[in-house]
Amino acid sequence: MANLVKVSALVADRLMFFRRGMTALLQDSHPGWRLAEAGSFDELLMQMRDGDVELMLVELQLPGLGGAGGVRRLRALYPGRHVVVLADDDDRRTVLECLAAGAHGYVLKS
């Protein structure tokens, strides 16, 4: 029997419905993961302080994040952690700005 990998992931999105849905999908597909949620940048920082989060799924429009600049700040604060941007915007320039800021991925919410 294979051991379950324990991963701590944080879903940060301003919309509770989306946050809960994404968390449920992750829990169903990865039952061994520990998951947390945040609805703002301040909540995200609190979760990061209180937990051992390895992966952050962060909405680009998250209140207080500040777009690609916020992604850059997260990467500076938590250099060993992975940041994946969740966004409605498929504009090439926005995608490239986030990747240049250090995002490990860019996922369209649609």
Side-chain angles (χ1 to χ4, degrees):
M1 179 177 207
N3 292 330
L4 290 177
V5 176
K6 297 288 185 182
V7 172
S8 186
L10 171 65
V11 178
D13 194 283
R14 65 195 153 138
L15 302 174
M16 183 176 58
F17 181 75
F18 185 86
R19 251 188 348 257
R20 298 271 165 91
M22 180 63 76
T23 301
L25 285 171
L26 289 170
Q27 190 66 60
D28 286 348
S29 60
H30 303 289
W33 285 17
R34 295 180 318 273
L35 300 166
E37 297 178 16
S40 69
F41 189 67
D42 288 341
E43 288 178 24
L44 179 149
L45 293 176
M46 190 176 354
Q47 291 284 359
M48 293 301 293
R49 185 172 46 242
D50 294 341
D52 187 23
V53 176
E54 297 175 25
L55 170 65
M56 292 174 269
L57 300 165
V58 182
E59 178 193 24
L60 190 58
Q61 293 80 24
L62 186 71
L65 179 68
V71 172
R72 184 172 286 107
R73 181 174 173 207
L74 282 175
R75 293 291 293 132
L77 288 170
Y78 308 103
R81 306 312 188 344
H82 291 87
V83 177
V84 174
V85 172
L86 304 170
D88 297 318
D89 186 0
D90 66 351
D91 178 67
R92 178 175 160 71
R93 181 176 167 190
T94 303
V95 174
L96 293 175
E97 285 175 356
C98 289
L99 294 175
H104 293 91
Y106 190 98
V107 177
L108 291 177
K109 289 171 69 173
S110 60

